[in-house]
Amino acid sequence: MERGYTVHGLVRGQNNPRLTNVERLCPGIEFVEGDLLDQSSLIAALETCQPTEVYNLGAISFVALSFKQASLTGEVTGLGVVRMLEAIRTVNADIRFYQASSSEMFGKVRETPQTEGTAFHPRSPYGVAKVYGHYITVNYRESYGMYACSGILFNHESERRGLEFVTRKITNSVAKIKLGLQKQLALGNLSARRDWGFAGDYVRAMHLMLQQDEPDDYVIATGETHSVEEFCELAFAHVGLDWRDHVVTDERFLRPAEVDLLIGDSTKARTKLGWTTTVSFPELVTRMVESDLAAHSAALRQGVAGG
Ligand code: G4F
């Protein structure tokens, strides 16, 4: 929107509770009804908005949930992509398309670091569905000459991250523990390693991909990897606490199959798109902890003021 775009957000369901959140965070977005499960609704949405660019970030994106709702994940996260591509082909084949592919496609990694050429070995129904989304995007580009790009994004975080994901779960708990609102934080696999970057930087990469002369696929990553344990250590230390005094492990948060290590090589994006990161790992942890601290402190003050 800062770049002068009119932005339409696709909303599904009768009374989607997330609508209020998005309206609060990004006032000015225009909403249009549509559902990745429903082909005709996507065609209608494109006919209404007449977009020049479509960013498909829609998915069941929580890996743990995908094990419990595997076929729904396939429908939304996988087949949803082909429905959107078909809608574009029907309404206006010149629309530029961005598919949010994921480093979860690398899964049980075949090489380190992972590049655009690394073979996929997904470890969850989510990862499998994303592999389908990735290849159908490549296929529509090759078959129909569509301007379709796939961004293979490694984990990207910010203070807007959902509380179910490990980074925000940690920073939110750190804030609550610091303020005396919570005592312990229960986590699953502490030794999993991720390449965590700042979401704002990654959104710039998505936009850059659609401004090139030719469509292509790009890995977007920081090139650093850190464990969940390291994330805890930094987050707790930021408020003067020792993570070992508060973190417990709980097998309920372990996954049937785990992705142990992710670290991306984004040389292609850095060279061809001129893309760079602006937020370091310690800065990312700090800004997320600070944001949760501010929110819980404010709520506490209001609670006290209101009796
Ligand atoms: O934060 P996570 O749930 O993210 P995950 O599974 O890496 O997926 C995220 O990044 C992908 C990009 O690579 C996206 F495609 C995807 O949509 C999503 O945004 O888990 C990170 C790691 C995992 O290894 C998990 O097992 O943290 C480990 N973990 C340990 N304890 C936990 C917990 N994860 C969660 N969510 N909750 C825990 O208590």
Side-chain angles (χ1 to χ4, degrees), residues 181-198:
L181 300 169
Q182 184 179 318
K183 288 208 171 348
Q184 279 191 331
L185 164 62
L187 294 173
N189 179 8
L190 299 180
S191 54
R193 301 185 74 85
R194 290 290 183 277
D195 181 330
W196 279 296
F198 171 57

Side-chain angles (χ1 to χ4, degrees), residues 61 102-103 126 155 161 164 166 169 188 192 194 255 258:
S61 66
S102 164
S103 54
Y126 169 81
N155 298 49
R161 190 54 140 154
E164 67 273 38
V166 79
K169 182 174 171 182
R194 290 290 183 277
R255 295 173 182 180
E258 176 64 289

Side-chain angles (χ1 to χ4, degrees), residues 62 73 107 109 125 217 246:
F62 186 34
T73 302
V109 297
D217 307 320
H246 303 280

